[in-house]
Amino acid sequence: MPTVSVTRRTFFNAAHRLHNPSKSDAWNKKVYGRCNSPNWHGHNYVLEVTIRGEPDPDTGFIMDLDDLHTVITERIINKVDHLNLNLDVDFLRGVIPSTENLVIAFWRELELALPTGLLCKVRLHERERNIAEYTGD
């Protein structure tokens, strides 16, 4: 049976601050610039989750996309939307919430709730020109 990839796109808004507490304020300001603002800043994120597998012969689906949407909503969106990624999100405690680190953390959250081997890619658009993706280790 052929293998197919399907992507579900969703959206959330969140605030964060890029700051490495083990470095000086001068270092953080130089490296992160405006993203190091102590008063935070926000983004309108676009999250894409891609699954890959063989379509079920009875349904034609790899997975019901409503079920995938539910997993994404419960594991990610409900935990990050309109929140502060540095302060409010348990699974991001101690993580510098760069787009690169977010896709890894989101992958780990989703991987726990999906059948083994189904998750193919997590892609996060921080803004139109900044996109990170993670395909697992």
Side-chain angles (χ1 to χ4, degrees), residues 13-59:
N13 305 299
H16 72 155
R17 178 185 188 204
L18 299 182
H19 183 82
N20 185 334
S22 71
K23 302 291 186 180
S24 70
D25 286 342
W27 184 93
N28 277 287
K29 189 169 187 166
K30 180 180 177 188
V31 170
Y32 298 123
R34 291 176 31 187
C35 294
N36 182 246
S37 170
N39 295 318
W40 318 100
H41 69 283
H43 296 283
N44 300 314
Y45 290 96
V46 178
L47 175 63
E48 296 176 355
V49 176
T50 302
I51 57 174
R52 184 173 176 86
E54 295 178 1
D56 181 280
D58 294 325
T59 66

Side-chain angles (χ1 to χ4, degrees), residues 9 17 34 44 46 50-51 66 81 90 95 100 107:
R9 179 180 285 174
R17 178 185 188 204
R34 291 176 31 187
N44 300 314
V46 178
T50 302
I51 57 174
D66 286 338
D81 191 34
D90 287 344
V95 173
E100 296 88 338
W107 174 284

Side-chain angles (χ1 to χ4, degrees), residues 124-137:
L124 185 64
H125 304 243
E126 181 183 72
R127 54 179 77 164
E128 193 172 305
R129 296 182 314 245
N130 299 351
I131 304 165
E133 69 179 35
Y134 183 64
T135 57
D137 292 326

